[in-house]
Amino acid sequence: MSLVRLKIKGISYSQTQNGAYALILNEVEGDRKLPIVIGAFEAQSIAIALEKEIKPPRPLTHDLFKNFSDRFDIVIKQVIIHKLVDGVFYSSIICERDKIEEIIDARTSDAIALALRFNAPIFTYKTILDKAGIFLKFSSKDKEKEETDDSIVVDEILQEGETVEIESGATDGYTELSVDELHKELDKAVANEDYEKAAKLRDEISKRN
């Protein structure tokens, strides 16, 4: 079976269902997207790995695993999403130590959080992408409308019990803050280890730039 390389397109949350986070993977040589529902902790961990400017005051679990692996010369070579059963994705982490390769089963969200920290490529099989991959088309190039359409698509799929795609959502009134105030709030959120709030603040700052 042929492997297809994936890249991370985005991660966010549903506008109508609290706690419903999602990760979107996009095939590198194509337009199909693979949406995967993930937990809040994993969503925050992946978001932090994607946004280099957010530095947790203490290592998260995936950071600890990376530090542990570095200390014992363990390298993650790649992550493969190898199975899809009843809407649940199964993944393998391909590791190497002393030129000996090992394969470790992992939840897809954990595997991707680690792949980001090791700069390891992410793959899935073509058969899985054929089964679960989706195309999203928008009638407008306007970014705000695209985000709204994304959220509608996400919520519809969530109601069907399937995987989802979500872009940036509500900003909880952060639009009223100045850029300097946003940066101060971001620093506070990171210091308090409130990474969900930090991610929203980061999104609002990005819109201003």
Side-chain angles (χ1 to χ4, degrees):
M1 292 185 289
S2 59
L3 287 172
V4 178
R5 185 163 181 174
L6 304 170
K7 62 182 178 182
I8 296 175
K9 178 180 183 289
I11 183 171
S12 189
Y13 51 89
S14 168
Q15 290 188 347
T16 62
Q17 299 192 39
N18 291 332
Y21 286 81
L23 170 70
I24 292 303
L25 302 172
N26 202 115
E27 60 179 329
V28 172
E29 298 182 358
D31 297 320
R32 286 179 296 180
K33 298 169 180 61
L34 192 65
I36 302 173
V37 175
I38 61 177
F41 171 77
E42 291 77 14
Q44 293 175 5
S45 182
I46 292 171
I48 287 169
L50 288 170
E51 299 297 332
K52 306 300 183 183
E53 69 269 19
I54 299 179
K55 301 294 183 183
R58 298 181 297 171
L60 301 179
T61 301
H62 297 111
D63 297 320
L64 177 61
F65 188 96
K66 174 66 163 60
N67 295 339
F68 182 91
S69 300
D70 289 344
R71 184 65 60 89
F72 291 95
D73 297 322
I74 300 169
V75 177
I76 291 180
K77 306 295 289 184
Q78 61 183 0
V79 163
I80 300 176
I81 303 171
H82 64 83
K83 186 167 64 173
L84 172 61
V85 179
D86 296 330
V88 178
F89 292 91
Y90 295 78
S91 293
S92 295
I93 299 173
I94 315 300
C95 304
E96 184 179 274
R97 181 173 183 266
D98 295 334
K99 297 184 179 180
I100 298 174
E101 192 172 273
E102 299 285 351
I103 301 176
I104 300 173
D105 287 332
R107 295 187 305 168
T108 298
S109 54
D110 289 327
I112 291 173
L114 291 172
L116 282 170
R117 286 161 170 82
F118 282 86
N119 294 316
I122 302 165
F123 296 94
T124 192
Y125 289 110
K126 183 178 181 298
T127 51
I128 292 177
L129 197 57
D130 289 341
K131 181 179 179 181
I134 60 174
F135 291 95
L136 291 183
K137 295 181 179 179
F138 304 105
S139 58
S140 170
K141 294 182 180 179
D142 182 77
K143 181 62 178 175
E144 184 176 349
K145 184 178 188 304
E146 179 177 325
E147 291 172 354
T148 302
D149 288 349
D150 261 351
S151 298
I152 292 171
V153 171
V154 169
D155 294 332
E156 287 177 350
I157 300 176
L158 271 176
Q159 289 171 2
E160 296 171 0
E162 298 293 336
T163 53
V164 303
E165 172 171 8
I166 311 171
E167 291 297 325
S168 34
T171 54
D172 295 332
Y174 299 140
T175 53
E176 300 175 1
L177 300 178
S178 67
V179 173
D180 286 341
E181 289 172 329
L182 287 170
H183 279 290
K184 288 178 183 177
E185 288 297 317
L186 176 60
D187 291 340
K188 278 196 238 175
V190 172
N192 293 330
E193 301 183 13
D194 186 349
Y195 300 118
E196 180 176 352
K197 181 178 180 180
K200 293 177 183 178
L201 287 161
R202 173 214 64 209
D203 288 344
E204 183 60 30
I205 291 171
S206 297
K207 289 179 184 178
R208 309 281 185 93
N209 294 334

